[in-house]
Amino acid sequence: MTNQYRSLVIAIIISSCLIIVGAGHGAVPMMLIEIMAPIAKGLKFSLQLSNNNEDTLAASALFFFIGQLLLFFGTHRMHVITRLIGVIFMWTGLFYQTHNMSNDGGAKFTFATGAPFLFLSIALFSFDVRQNWLQDKTDIEEE
């Protein structure tokens, strides 16, 4: 993997940690939620989408954490599929926090602070899909 891809992956991981989520009457970066979710007693883990973003906060943090790990390991082992699955996990975590944007101003704010992550992850996803597609096409042409 070239340094350009590694720096893009690092930028994605950092930008995903800096997504601001409305929690209660305040706002918290996703990084703190990922760290505090296992020990927080007030967080309920639910995969069911609801109108209250606090109910999906632990699930979203889990999706982001798994995605970041997959992205990190996929970068160092140079596995394109692992990176793609990691990005999809992180997109799922963002969806869990922004699925109620039409009714919730906090979800709009979360989406706005998650825009840099979204743009960077779409770029990595498209680069990886293109690289994988060109590699498969080259293998077919050589036979």
Side-chain angles (χ1 to χ4, degrees):
M1 171 174 260
T2 64
N3 287 336
Q4 180 182 8
Y5 280 113
R6 284 200 177 137
S7 61
L8 183 58
V9 168
I10 291 169
I12 289 170
I13 291 173
I14 290 172
S15 65
S16 71
C17 289
L18 298 177
I19 295 173
I20 307 295
V21 178
H25 295 288
V28 179
M30 183 58 74
M31 177 178 57
L32 289 179
I33 296 170
E34 291 174 14
I35 294 169
M36 298 300 289
I39 59 174
K41 294 180 182 179
L43 284 180
K44 295 180 271 181
F45 183 80
S46 173
L47 291 175
Q48 185 177 18
L49 294 175
S50 67
N51 289 336
N52 188 1
N53 283 347
E54 292 176 18
D55 293 342
T56 59
L57 200 55
S60 177
L62 181 67
F63 281 125
F64 268 105
F65 184 68
I66 291 171
Q68 289 167 352
L69 286 177
L70 289 172
L71 197 61
F72 179 75
F73 290 126
T75 301
H76 290 291
R77 298 281 185 211
M78 295 188 207
H79 293 144
V80 174
I81 300 300
T82 307
R83 282 195 309 269
L84 293 176
I85 293 171
V87 168
I88 291 171
F89 263 94
M90 293 169 78
W91 286 343
T92 305
L94 185 63
F95 174 74
Y96 264 77
Q97 286 303 308
T98 60
H99 72 279
N100 197 20
M101 275 199 313
S102 61
N103 299 331
D104 187 14
K108 291 176 186 174
F109 182 70
T110 300
F111 185 77
T113 59
F117 155 74
L118 195 58
F119 293 137
L120 292 169
S121 63
I122 289 172
L124 178 70
F125 191 85
S126 63
F127 290 151
D128 280 346
V129 167
R130 183 170 182 252
Q131 176 188 4
N132 198 21
W133 182 72
L134 289 176
Q135 182 181 11
D136 289 344
K137 191 172 182 176
T138 305
D139 292 343
I140 292 171
E141 290 175 358
E142 289 176 359
E143 293 176 3

